[in-house]
Amino acid sequence: SVLLLRACLALLALPIYLLSFVGMWEPFCRKVFFPFILDKIGIVHDKKSKKHKQELFRNLPDFRGPSGELKLLEIGTGSGSNFQFYPSGCKVTCTDINPNFQESLSKNMKKNQHLHYERFLVAAGEDLHQVPSGSVDAVVCTLVLCSVQSISSTLREVLRVLRPGGAFYFLEHVAAEHSSWKYFWQQVCYPTWKLVFAGCCLTRELWKNLEEAKFSELKIQHISVALPWTPIEPHIMGYGVK
């Protein structure tokens, strides 16, 4: 039944599959479709997750460095929807593998002038070589680990750039319980969803990757962020300390 429903969904998305086959979908998706659709979905997700983010980032000031400053690196900044939750005076370095979010990113920077923006780097989470080791107090990653090529490599880079005692904050959608209808529909949607949404994987059990990473302290909370007509309701949030 999963394969049958996958085939039906693929038929509905046939034009996208054809564009992908001839090599036209990926550049269009990165430059036009994904920034546009993520901005629209992001507005809804931000409303649904606002209380969770307020709770998640509440203790960010506790990880200020010895100088009293908070140097923060965000992986997959996108449009900058997290800026509003960062403490005043925070020095932010933005990174994203896709440089096509500049318009919405600039708008959010203007709205959040309580922050100091250090620089924007075009970089994948698996390769942050432009960031010196042990140079940041906090790393933030929201709705990004679902689409990185290698979760383990990304987490290794996170630990490398963090100073000892620094923290990695995350809020990510994850696989549902395997016995649930939610997981059934995640399996049905998986191939087409991954194609349409620039490599986003629906069935990653990210808490396992985080538990396997070498954090000295790890706090993970399973939450629900219900988005209408999407298979990404189950989420995890928390932080790990280097």
Side-chain angles (χ1 to χ4, degrees):
S1 58
V2 168
L3 293 176
L4 178 61
L5 288 169
R6 278 183 178 179
C8 293
L9 194 57
L11 282 174
L12 291 174
L14 185 59
I16 294 176
Y17 277 92
L18 291 174
L19 287 172
S20 177
F21 180 75
V22 298
M24 295 177 62
W25 173 250
E26 185 176 353
F28 173 77
C29 180
R30 286 188 176 278
K31 291 181 180 180
V32 180
F33 177 78
F34 193 59
F36 172 78
I37 200 69
L38 193 65
D39 190 46
K40 302 304 178 187
I41 293 176
I43 292 171
V44 179
H45 190 275
D46 287 344
K47 289 180 180 178
K48 298 284 187 178
S49 64
K50 185 174 182 178
K51 290 182 179 178
H52 295 301
K53 286 187 176 182
Q54 287 173 335
E55 178 186 346
L56 174 64
F57 295 123
R58 185 175 293 131
N59 68 340
L60 253 178
D62 295 346
F63 292 97
R64 295 182 191 274
S67 65
E69 294 180 333
L70 179 66
K71 295 181 179 179
L72 184 149
L73 170 74
E74 182 164 359
I75 298 174
T77 305
S79 62
S81 62
N82 291 326
F83 292 162
Q84 60 184 303
F85 303 104
Y86 298 159
S88 182
C90 178
K91 292 187 174 181
V92 181
T93 296
C94 305
T95 73
D96 205 295
I97 195 172
N98 187 344
N100 297 294
F101 291 95
Q102 290 296 333
E103 184 178 345
S104 52
L105 180 62
S106 296
K107 287 180 182 178
N108 271 321
M109 283 179 168
K110 290 177 182 177
K111 287 180 183 177
N112 295 279
Q113 295 187 13
H114 64 291
L115 305 177
H116 299 294
Y117 301 102
E118 300 279 86
R119 54 180 175 159
F120 177 87
L121 303 174
V122 178
E126 300 93 331
D127 183 10
L128 300 170
H129 70 273
Q130 300 171 79
V131 183
S133 299
S135 63
V136 297
D137 304 303
V139 176
V140 172
C141 186
T142 61
L143 303 182
V144 173
L145 293 179
C146 59
S147 56
V148 297
Q149 293 292 322
S150 171
I151 302 166
S152 59
S153 295
T154 301
L155 294 178
R156 278 197 298 270
E157 279 290 82
V158 166
L159 286 164
R160 182 186 65 79
V161 302
L162 277 173
R163 65 165 175 81
F168 171 56
Y169 286 79
F170 53 88
L171 190 154
E172 301 283 345
H173 69 82
V174 294
E177 289 286 340
H178 284 205
S179 59
S180 68
W181 278 108
K182 290 175 186 175
Y183 185 71
F184 173 82
W185 286 111
Q186 284 180 336
Q187 288 182 298
V188 169
C189 296
Y190 181 90
T192 299
W193 183 276
K194 186 176 182 180
L195 175 64
V196 172
F197 293 102
C200 175
C201 298
L202 292 171
T203 56
R204 288 184 172 177
E205 298 175 331
L206 295 172
W207 62 90
K208 294 182 180 179
N209 302 95
L210 288 160
E211 288 166 354
E212 291 169 0
K214 295 178 180 178
F215 291 104
S216 60
E217 178 186 350
L218 181 63
K219 296 184 182 295
I220 300 178
Q221 183 180 353
H222 288 258
I223 61 172
S224 174
V225 180
L227 297 179
W229 304 102
T230 70
I232 58 170
E233 181 176 338
H235 283 59
I236 58 170
M237 75 173 194
Y239 65 92
V241 179
K242 178 178 176 180

